[in-house]
Amino acid sequence: MHSEEPLVSVLIPAFNRVDLIEETVQSVWAQTYSRVELIVVDDGSTDGTYEKLQQLSDQGNLTLLTHQGRANKGQSAALNLALRHASGRYISILDSDDLFLPQKLEKQVHYLENHPDVGLVYGLGEAVDSQGNWLYDLLSADHTEPNDPAAVLLDCYFLLPQNALVRKQVFDQAGLFEESFRAAQDHDMLIRLAELTRFGFMPEKFFQYRRHDDSISATGAERRWTTGFEILQRAASRYPYKKSIIRRRKAVLNFRLSQVYWQQKNHIKALLCVLKSGLLDPRRGLRVLLGMEKVS
């Protein structure tokens, strides 16, 4: 690597991932792009993750940060602490249980260096189980980037943390992660970024997303969809989305909540949410009921 190549800051928020964090860190150290600063924030882990990270920081390129008193403040606060310490031209975020594939940073840096009008680039990924076995692909190679903030608002069609490489100056414009959100903060940030810059898409696999029973994505469904209403309200006050787009997103959020409430056996709330969803977007509601369309 040449000294003139730009520095990339990789940020990992970590909480109670003692069995997986070393493999995650190793996937950063194994990158074919070498101008990387790795910043890991331990968010008050109690299972030995912090001690494991101390050992790893003695072995290689890893800056370990914690909140005062090693408090647990949530993923947004951990990412904000890391962002404040990041000095790279580009930012890449990696969840503490996921993995970068070896050429992710090299190829994404090359793309952004050659596309100065693009502020964020992303690609393909795959979901794997806790043993690393393939489960399914994330996105398809024929995906096209619409470069429309409304598309991101309606459908968080890719995972922001581990998939993207973002210009630091765009993150600076977007502001920090919303610390009052304990779910869906990734979608909130992605919407804000889409309102500010063009996105680029590369049809190559760059990461592995671990799908397992204790993932936040598997247990925080109700919190995620209720937070979605606050995200939507803020987006509508910030950017001139069409009223039809706002209605469609409200319909999706109500439908998703109906699924959660039905699983919780709260059938009255579930049916009320289904009714709201159908009234907000009757055409799509009919298509979903007929199996002609999936809900994002």
Side-chain angles (χ1 to χ4, degrees):
M1 285 296 152
H2 303 292
S3 59
E4 66 269 16
E5 290 186 325
L7 181 67
V8 176
S9 298
V10 176
L11 317 180
I12 301 178
F15 177 71
N16 286 354
R17 291 297 186 199
V18 67
D19 293 333
L20 298 172
I21 189 63
E22 182 170 1
E23 189 176 1
T24 297
V25 167
Q26 291 288 353
S27 79
V28 179
W29 286 348
Q31 289 296 296
T32 56
Y33 190 83
S34 62
R35 285 217 71 210
V36 176
E37 67 169 4
L38 174 57
I39 302 173
V40 184
V41 177
D42 181 79
D43 190 28
S45 295
T46 57
D47 68 341
T49 297
Y50 175 70
E51 291 74 17
K52 171 66 73 174
L53 286 167
Q54 285 182 310
Q55 296 172 12
L56 291 170
S57 68
D58 292 335
Q59 296 174 21
N61 167 28
L62 190 159
T63 299
L64 176 58
L65 303 175
T66 63
H67 302 295
Q68 186 174 5
R70 291 198 52 223
N72 172 255
K73 295 188 175 183
Q75 188 176 55
S76 291
L79 285 170
N80 288 342
L81 179 59
L83 278 169
R84 292 187 184 101
H85 283 79
S87 55
R89 183 186 303 175
Y90 300 115
I91 302 291
S92 191
I93 296 171
L94 179 60
D95 280 348
S96 58
D97 53 344
D98 296 332
L99 304 169
F100 283 166
L101 296 181
Q103 290 187 300
K104 172 196 155 64
L105 295 180
E106 180 181 4
K107 290 189 174 184
Q108 290 187 333
V109 167
H110 184 265
Y111 183 96
L112 288 180
E113 288 290 285
N114 287 279
H115 295 82
D117 61 321
V118 173
L120 177 154
V121 63
Y122 67 100
L124 303 174
E126 60 186 19
V128 298
D129 63 19
S130 56
Q131 283 75 47
N133 299 310
W134 179 89
L135 296 175
Y136 52 86
D137 287 333
L138 302 166
L139 290 181
S140 61
D142 61 358
H143 168 79
T144 57
E145 170 51 46
N147 268 304
D148 179 3
V152 180
L153 181 69
L154 287 171
D155 179 6
C156 190
Y157 50 84
F158 72 89
L159 299 175
L160 172 63
Q162 52 275 62
N163 197 348
L165 185 70
V166 188
R167 296 184 191 275
K168 177 65 159 56
Q169 65 186 35
V170 177
F171 256 123
D172 291 341
Q173 288 179 269
L176 297 172
F177 285 84
E178 177 51 63
E179 295 187 14
S180 67
F181 295 162
R182 287 298 184 112
Q185 63 273 3
D186 52 347
H187 192 199
D188 174 61
M189 177 58 76
L190 188 58
I191 294 166
R192 285 189 273 150
L193 292 171
E195 292 167 359
L196 291 171
T197 189
R198 288 180 56 81
F199 288 0
F201 170 68
M202 301 177 70
E204 301 180 53
K205 282 188 180 180
F206 290 134
F207 73 101
Q208 291 183 324
Y209 165 66
R210 287 192 191 271
R211 188 78 181 178
H212 45 85
D213 291 340
D214 65 341
S215 293
I216 294 173
S217 55
T219 60
E222 182 178 2
R223 183 185 297 169
R224 183 173 186 87
W225 303 123
T226 53
T227 302
F229 285 100
E230 175 65 21
I231 291 171
L232 179 61
Q233 181 179 352
R234 295 187 185 197
S237 67
R238 188 177 59 233
Y239 191 87
Y241 294 102
K242 294 179 180 179
K243 290 182 179 179
S244 61
I245 297 296
I246 302 301
R247 287 198 304 272
R248 286 174 61 190
R249 184 58 183 168
K250 285 182 179 178
V252 168
L253 292 171
N254 275 288
F255 186 85
R256 286 301 197 187
L257 277 174
S258 75
Q259 294 176 311
V260 173
Y261 293 141
W262 193 265
Q263 290 175 351
Q264 295 173 350
K265 301 189 184 305
N266 193 335
H267 296 151
I268 293 177
K269 288 184 77 172
L271 291 172
L272 285 173
C273 285
V274 168
L275 179 61
K276 288 179 184 178
S277 180
L279 291 172
L280 286 162
D281 193 355
R283 181 179 298 179
R284 193 181 193 200
L286 181 61
R287 290 177 62 84
V288 170
L289 287 174
L290 294 175
M292 299 169 64
E293 184 175 345
K294 293 182 179 180
V295 176
S296 303

